[in-house]
Amino acid sequence: MRTTDRSRLASDPYRPGYHYLPPANWMSDPHGGIFWKGWYHLFYQHNPDGAFHGGRTGTIHWGHAVTEDFVHWQDLPIALAPTPDGPDRNNCASGAAFINREGVPTLIYHGVPDGICIATSRDDMLVNWEKHPANPVILAPAPRGEYKVEGACFAWIEGDTYYAITGNSSREA
């Protein structure tokens, strides 16, 4: 568990009392919520190094917390961090969590700059994540490509096929 310094922030009248907040620094989109082995897992965009977004500089990680009741939270170690020289070297951006066909918890996320990536975990508390060796599994096209790949927002399995909804857009000619 990460150590927290929430005590100095507790008197802030604008700090939510029951919504999850990270122990420190910047937090953005919650994503990747999943129920696994009796715990509700929350993943969220997080900069563990400062109270700012950081743009496209490799600062965006996936924070991780668990709860049994949505009131009392336990912070867990960072779930995803950018891999130097990897497809997510600039950031581990938006994504989702799901259980794959083999029954393994899986994260799908936008690895900036190269495309949609996945990672899996086989431990009960989902602390250790292994990024797929073939990442990105959906490649972002070249800068002048026909479309733009953004964050992975949702993923599911139907029959033998995996589906994902992403924030894509077409490029202007």
Side-chain angles (χ1 to χ4, degrees), residues 4 17 21 34 39 44 52 56 61 63 73 76 82 84 87 89 99 104 111 113 119 149 165 169:
T4 64
L21 290 174
I34 192 170
W39 291 93
Y44 55 92
F52 57 92
R56 299 187 180 273
H61 296 56
W73 292 90
L76 294 177
R89 62 193 168 275
I99 307 300
V104 177
V149 174
I165 297 173
S169 61

Side-chain angles (χ1 to χ4, degrees), residues 21-72:
L21 290 174
N25 298 331
W26 182 85
M27 173 187 179
S28 185
D29 304 341
H31 46 247
I34 192 170
F35 183 76
W36 184 253
K37 306 275 183 166
W39 291 93
Y40 295 95
H41 293 259
L42 172 69
F43 300 96
Y44 55 92
Q45 287 186 348
H46 180 54
N47 178 356
D49 299 322
F52 57 92
H53 178 272
R56 299 187 180 273
T57 61
T59 58
I60 304 306
H61 296 56
W62 273 36
H64 184 192
V66 293
T67 184
E68 293 177 299
D69 61 10
F70 291 97
V71 175
H72 303 95

Side-chain angles (χ1 to χ4, degrees), residues 29-33 45 62 92-97 107-110 151-155:
D29 304 341
H31 46 247
Q45 287 186 348
W62 273 36
C92 295
S94 296
L107 301 179
I108 181 170
Y109 66 100
H110 182 213
C153 300
F154 189 70

